[in-house]
Amino acid sequence: MQNPSIVLYGAKTAKLEAKEIPGLNDPYDVLVRIAYVGVCGSDVHFWHHGGIGKHVNPNTGIVMGHEASGTIHSIGSAVSSVSVGDRVAIEPGTPCRFCSACKNGTYHLCRQMRFAAAPGPPDTQGTLCKFFKISEDFVYKIDEKISLEEAVLVEPTSVAVHAVKLADVRPGETVVVMGSGTIGLLVAAVARQFGAHRIILVDILEKKLEFARGYLGVETFCADVKSTPEDDAARLLTKFGLEEFGTDSTGGKVDTVIEASGAASSINMGVHLLRPGGKYVQTGVGKPKIEFPIVAVSNKELMFRGCFRYGAGDYELAVKLITKGLVQVKPLLSSVTPFEDATRAWDKTASGEGIKNLIEGPRD
């Protein structure tokens, strides 16, 4: 096979297929020989449901994968920032570069963004293949001391960087992170680098919080699935001495909440934790409609923001944080699955096995 690829045709239907090697039609294109591809929650959702919002066309299918690293295989005639053989992390989306969002520096909000493994029309093929084409300014050289396995984690670290920047985390703040999956753990690690004085990770699984304590040394709180978000918020504030003027809906002394689970109860709890004038960033993706404490958001005049992927400068900062060892990603790597058995890696993640499971790129 010239370019072996894992193609999803629908829920629980994926095939290993031969694709053509992409041509370098633009002088600024590069071709990356994929080394590793990470598995995230969206991959699992596609595997179980055939898509998120837009579903995969069962007649054409789509190549999966968007968290990836590799080596530059060939370059276009005008490429100057990378050379053949360079080891790179891949930012897996290309904007139009001409719309108002792109020209205003928010290219991640481009409505014509071509993001890897996104159904169309037109479909955008993903990174779960041998050769992946992208523009040179969306690959990032990595230091020799960073492995290609670790380089896969630049993508989720960039999500964390974007979330923390949106939250405007400042030195001395108390930050609560809702959810201790890959993104939640990395958000906590990045928030520490932005100067957060106190970080508390919240989850409903004690096993995940145990890992978080060992990985980051942060405080943790296990929410009770049988309790209400208001009661869980009150318990957290009391446990950590953060209550102020009682423990009612006015909240405590929490400056910032970054939600990384998407669960309705987690979202509600986060709102009730915040002090008046506090900051909330929604990073986790959950159900499109939930019951929401809008009165508390208004009465406390919270700064409430959505968070979508990553934008200008986020990948560069993520690479620097990992290179300098300020954010450790190696402990998050749990397994590597051979390319031909990619669906096994999706099943591992779906069952809650490991933190970050990888799929190895095709071998010769």
Side-chain angles (χ1 to χ4, degrees), residues 217-252:
V218 296
E219 297 170 292
T220 62
F221 179 83
C222 192
D224 186 349
V225 294
K226 297 180 180 179
S227 184
T228 66
E230 294 90 340
D231 287 344
D232 269 335
R235 285 197 304 116
L236 185 151
L237 294 174
T238 300
K239 176 180 178 179
F240 296 107
L242 293 169
E243 66 269 56
E244 189 170 26
F245 304 113
T247 55
D248 59 16
S249 61
T250 60

Side-chain angles (χ1 to χ4, degrees), residues 49-63:
H49 303 285
I52 301 176
K54 290 182 179 180
H55 282 70
V56 173
N57 186 324
N59 297 314
T60 58
I62 195 167
V63 178

